[in-house]
Structure formats: structure tokens, C-alpha cells
């Protein structure tokens, strides 16, 4: 599909989309031949998702400990490498916590374990909820409204898109996008905490987790100064890098102003940087997720690829994608080409 030239901010549609009186229609029907594939794609694997969460934590811990090694600052040459390591650790801290947030999102759909819901919530709380400070039950209550009431006044994502004027984000240049992000990110961060963890204990959980698994090991290995560096790297990544990654991700998932179905209003973000940094664990395959929210993260890309191959006109030919952060999504197809709406 060809990418249309981005609109200038003044040429864009009205920034506040009109809420629908009823939830958006699905807008897509999969080929009957794919029914066995769809059934198989809904099988959850608790051990797999738990292992992924543990790996996310280990990468984060290893990066921060590497950055806190005192030997970096013994001479100018290793100090330059130490600066590079610290910057890498900051980005990885934000990215890995963002990945754990995506696994909390998975837990809200019982995609860790479909048939053992208590195990789903307990494992997700310990392995993903504690490092992120997200109360899974609270997150689930709001997020499932987003799915069931998509496009209406009740949709919390539509409310945030309108409040923050997400349609008005300037994607015509990197500088324009950065400026648009900076004026919105504080409000987005406040809204995030309102919807996920309003009580003080939940807000402090990530701090306790970081002290236990990052600062304490650094102190035992190299002393108090290394522990302070480790804490500083974690705090900077958590407080500064993570909100930027989260904002970029969440502001890229829907286009409410020019669509009225689940299929047409949901954007698939599949550029290399998006898949690796902004949307970990196949979070970028958002159209497939909204059509089949019970498909766990380890099945989304496989399901996406199956649909692209099996339905080149109905799915691949209509799918709205964004391959770069600073880009508008591909336009929706015209009336008459959506026979399943």
C-alpha cells in the first residue's frame, strides 16, 4: 500500500472526534478457512509468558548493573564507554518497563492463563505488576471498557485522545513531533496514573522493587556509590524515558476522526523501531489484538501473517499501518470496499 503525504497541522481534520452513540462495528470478517488457525491462536501458555516477563526483568537489571560498575570512571577511555553504557541502560530501563506494562495489558485479557484466572493475576502481579506499579484489576476494569465501548463517550482512550488533541500531533517532522509530544506528555502521565494506580502503595511498589533487585545487588557488589548510580539510572529511565515511549505507543494505536469501525479505527505499527522499542511483545499488531483480544502476545504476529497471506484484499488490502513514528497511518479504504461492516 502506498503511504500518502502527511497533512500539515492546519490541513488536518478536526482534532476532537465526534463520539459514536453505539460502539464501533467490527468491520471485518475473517475467511472461514482460518477458523482453526483462530482457535489455535487463542491458546495461552502461562510458562512462556512468565519466562518472557522474567527475561524482561533480567535484561533491565543487567543493563543497570553494567552502568553502575565503578571501573568505568577509572580513566578517560573507559569513561567514554561508561557514558555510552549509561545511555543504553537508560533506554533499556524505559523499554523493559514498557514491555512489562504490555504484559500487564496481556493479563487484563487473561492472556497469561485463560482457564486459571487466579494464576493469571497472581503471576502477572508478581512478575509485571510490581515493577510497573499497575494494579491489574483496576487496569482491567478501564481497559475492557475501551474494547467493549470503542468510539463512544465511555471509551477511555477516546476521552484521552480528545483531551490531549492526539489528532493534532504534528507528524510532519521530527522537531514538530517532539514539540507536540512535550506539550502533552505531562497530562498524559497524570492520566496514566489516574487509570492504573491511584493509591500511594501502588505508586511506591516500583521504587521498592528497584531498591531490592537493582540497588541492593549493586551495593553488595561495589558499595554505596554504585547503589546510588543504579538507583539514579533506574529512576531516570522510569520517570523520563518510559513516559516518552508510552506516549508514543499509546498515541499511535487509533485514528478516531476518520473511521467508524474497529478495523478502520485501529492502527498496526510495524516499523523496526516500533516493534523493538515502542511496542514490545507484538503490541504493535493492534488491529489483530482488537479483533481477537483473547489471542496472547506470542500468537499475534503469527495470526497477523496468516491473515495477510490468506486474505490479501479483505485484510492486507485494507489494513491501516504506520511504519515510522513520525508518519500518518495509511488511509482507510473508500466506501464500498468494506462489505463486512
Amino acid at each position: 500500500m502506498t503511504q500518502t503525504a502527511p497533512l500539515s497541522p492546519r490541513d488536518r481534520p478536526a482534532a476532537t472526534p465526534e463520539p459514536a452513540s453505539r460502539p464501533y462495528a467490527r468491520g471485518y470478517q475473517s475467511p472461514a478457512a482460518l477458523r482453526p488457525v483462530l482457535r489455535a491462536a487463542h491458546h495461552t501458555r502461562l510458562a512462556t509468558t512468565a519466562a518472557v516477563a522474567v527475561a524482561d526483568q533480567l535484561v533491565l537489571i543487567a543493563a543497570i548493573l553494567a552502568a553502575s560498575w565503578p571501573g568505568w570512571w577509572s580513566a578517560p577511555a573507559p569513561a567514554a564507554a561508561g557514558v555510552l553504557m549509561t545511555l543504553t541502560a537508560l533506554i533499556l530501563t524505559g523499554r523493559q518497563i514498557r514491555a512489562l506494562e504490555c504484559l500487564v495489558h496481556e493479563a487484563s485479557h487473561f492472556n497469561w492463563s485463560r482457564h486459571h484466572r487466579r494464576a493469571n493475576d497472581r503471576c502477572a502481579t508478581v512478575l509485571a505488576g510490581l515493577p510497573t506499579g499497575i494494579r491489574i484489576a483496576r487496569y482491567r476494569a478501564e481497559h475492557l471498557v475501551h474494547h467493549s465501548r470503542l468510539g463512544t463517550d465511555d471509551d477511555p482512550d477516546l476521552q484521552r485522545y480528545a483531551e490531549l488533541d492526539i489528532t493534532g500531533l504534528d507528524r510532519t517532522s521530527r522537531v514538530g513531533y517532539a514539540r507536540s509530544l512535550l506539550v502533552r506528555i505531562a497530562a498524559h502521565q497524570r492520566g496514566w496514573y489516574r487509570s492504573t494506580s491511584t493509591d500511594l502503595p501502588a505508586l511506591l511498589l516500583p521504587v521498592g522493587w528497584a531498591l531490592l533487585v537493582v540497588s541492593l545487588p549493586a551495593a553488595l557488589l561495589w558499595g554505596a556509590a554504585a547503589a546510588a548510580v543504579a538507583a539514579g539510572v533506574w529512576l531516570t529511565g522510569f520517570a523520563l524515558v518510559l513516559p516518552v515511549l508510552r506516549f508514543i505507543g499509546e498515541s499511535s494505536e487509533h485514528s478516531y476522526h476518520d473511521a467508524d469501525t474497529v478495523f478502520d479505527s485501529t492502527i498496526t505499527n510495524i516499523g523496526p523501531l516500533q516493534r523493538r522499542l515502542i511496542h514490545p511483545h507484538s503490541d504493535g499488531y493492534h488491529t489483530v489484538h482488537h479483533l481477537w483480544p483473547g489471542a496472547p502476545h506470542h500468537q499475534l504476529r503469527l495470526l497477523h501473517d496468516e491473515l495477510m497471506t490468506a486474505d490479501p484484499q479483505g485484510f492486507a488490502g485494507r489494513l491501516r499501518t504506520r511504519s515510522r513514528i513520525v508518519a500518518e497511518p495509511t488511509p482507510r479504504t473508500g466506501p464500498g470496499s468494506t462489505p463486512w461492516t
Side-chain angles (χ1 to χ4, degrees), residues 201-284:
L203 294 173
L204 293 177
L205 282 175
V207 177
W209 177 87
L211 290 174
L212 180 64
V213 305
V214 175
S215 289
L216 180 59
L220 294 174
L221 287 169
W222 302 301
V229 171
V233 171
W234 173 84
L235 181 61
T236 304
F238 185 86
L240 297 181
V241 179
L242 172 62
V244 172
L245 300 182
R246 185 193 297 132
F247 177 88
I248 294 172
E250 296 204 339
S251 64
S252 302
E253 294 175 340
H254 291 283
S255 183
Y256 288 104
H257 69 274
D258 59 354
D260 56 6
T261 68
V262 174
F263 189 93
D264 287 332
S265 66
T266 309
I267 311 302
T268 294
N269 294 275
I270 52 175
L273 185 64
Q274 292 156 309
R275 287 187 285 108
R276 294 182 176 90
L277 182 64
I278 307 299
H279 297 279
H281 303 317
S282 297
D283 181 66

Side-chain angles (χ1 to χ4, degrees), residues 49-126:
T49 303
V52 167
V54 170
D56 284 338
Q57 292 197 32
L58 290 177
V59 169
L60 185 158
I61 293 166
I64 295 179
L65 288 179
S68 65
W69 179 53
W72 294 121
W73 318 112
S74 59
V83 171
L84 182 61
M85 184 67 243
T86 301
L87 292 174
T88 301
L90 289 173
I91 294 171
L92 276 175
T93 297
R95 190 272 180 194
Q96 296 307 104
I97 300 175
R98 168 77 176 150
L100 291 169
E101 289 181 350
C102 290
L103 294 180
V104 171
H105 166 246
E106 287 290 296
S108 74
H109 291 284
F110 298 102
N111 285 344
W112 285 52
S113 178
R114 180 86 63 246
H115 302 298
H116 299 88
R117 295 192 167 192
R118 184 174 296 178
N120 177 94
D121 283 10
R122 287 180 175 176
C123 289
T125 295
V126 171

Side-chain angles (χ1 to χ4, degrees), residues 154-237:
D154 300 325
D155 180 357
D157 280 32
L158 176 59
Q159 294 170 14
R160 279 190 287 271
Y161 271 53
E163 176 188 351
L164 299 175
D165 183 20
I166 296 301
T167 305
L169 274 172
D170 183 358
R171 297 183 188 267
T172 60
S173 68
R174 292 182 178 89
V175 172
Y177 183 80
R179 187 183 299 115
S180 293
L181 182 152
L182 288 173
V183 300
R184 291 167 171 84
I185 196 164
H188 182 266
Q189 185 77 339
R190 289 193 298 270
W192 170 261
Y193 282 119
R194 282 198 306 267
S195 65
T196 60
S197 48
T198 54
D199 55 301
L200 185 59
L203 294 173
L204 293 177
L205 282 175
V207 177
W209 177 87
L211 290 174
L212 180 64
V213 305
V214 175
S215 289
L216 180 59
L220 294 174
L221 287 169
W222 302 301
V229 171
V233 171
W234 173 84
L235 181 61
T236 304

Side-chain angles (χ1 to χ4, degrees), residues 44-54 112 297-298:
T44 58
R45 299 200 296 262
L46 178 60
T48 296
T49 303
V52 167
V54 170
W112 285 52
H297 64 99
H298 46 78

